[in-house]
Amino acid sequence: YIKHMGKGFWGSLLGAATPPLLNFARAAASPFKNTKPTATCWPLLGEARSQMMPTPLSEVDGVVDRLSAKSKEWSAVGCAERAVMLRSVLDLVIAHMDEAAEVTTQHKGSYGAGHSEEGYTVVCVAMAVREYAEAMEAGGTPKVLGVKRRPDGQAVVHVGPVGGLENMIFPGYRQEVWMKPDAQYPPTQGHVYRQAA
């Protein structure tokens, strides 16, 4: 559950500030990437025409089936081992961030800010992988930003944004996990990981 707090004037102001923030985030991540961006003129949104053919549904079903077959194997992997693998995935995501954003922009087009817009999406993927790795390094019980209780007793956990950079990239946003209304209070964390391990 993600709630955007910006409305009216402030929402417009935050929207106008997003492109510079995206460019800043891209520059901040550049020392950690192995690839160098190339000067490219991207088509504007609506002018791009993808040459990729739709993936046949049978092929999509095959991929889903293969992933499903691996679910039990993955559930048996302990937290520490998962964290190591996730850190390797994070390195790959960061190394290919520009490449992924550029390819997507070439097919979809841009509002005018180049591939920083698609880079925003890749940054979100990197953040999610990092947070997953940190959760595993904490044994499935990462420290949360806060827990509150609604009038009906439902627990709401504040999980993000975390840190100064995330708050700058997502100004006005608050990420919350709303537990099931009948879940115990305070909510528990990571039981499924500790049980599998």
Side-chain angles (χ1 to χ4, degrees), residues 103-177:
V103 170
T104 307
T105 305
Q106 287 173 347
H107 286 285
K108 195 185 81 173
S110 166
Y111 281 102
H115 72 260
S116 292
E117 295 159 8
E118 294 303 321
Y120 188 82
T121 304
V122 185
V123 167
C124 292
V125 173
M127 289 167 54
V129 175
R130 174 185 59 79
E131 291 172 2
Y132 190 5
E134 290 175 350
M136 294 299 94
E137 289 165 351
T141 57
K143 185 178 180 180
V144 299
L145 299 177
V147 181
K148 66 181 181 181
R149 204 167 189 174
R150 286 165 45 86
D152 61 1
Q154 183 180 18
V156 179
V157 185
H158 181 195
V159 297
V162 178
L165 182 58
E166 286 190 14
N167 277 281
M168 186 161 48
I169 295 175
F170 299 102
Y173 283 83
R174 179 185 177 93
Q175 298 163 322
E176 298 176 340
V177 176

Side-chain angles (χ1 to χ4, degrees), residues 10-89:
W10 291 110
S12 300
L13 181 62
L14 292 173
T18 297
L21 290 173
L22 295 178
N23 287 323
F24 172 80
R26 179 169 168 266
S30 61
F32 306 101
K33 296 183 292 188
N34 297 326
T35 57
K36 294 182 179 180
T38 57
T40 308
C41 181
W42 296 277
L44 293 176
L45 194 69
E47 296 178 357
R49 294 291 183 270
S50 175
Q51 301 300 314
M52 297 178 64
M53 296 297 294
T55 303
L57 291 180
S58 59
E59 186 176 335
V60 175
D61 289 339
V63 172
V64 172
D65 290 341
R66 289 195 296 275
L67 288 173
S68 298
K70 288 285 186 178
S71 61
K72 289 185 178 180
E73 182 179 336
W74 176 249
S75 66
V77 177
C79 294
E81 189 176 352
R82 288 189 188 200
V84 171
M85 289 188 284
L86 288 164
R87 288 292 179 183
S88 297
V89 171

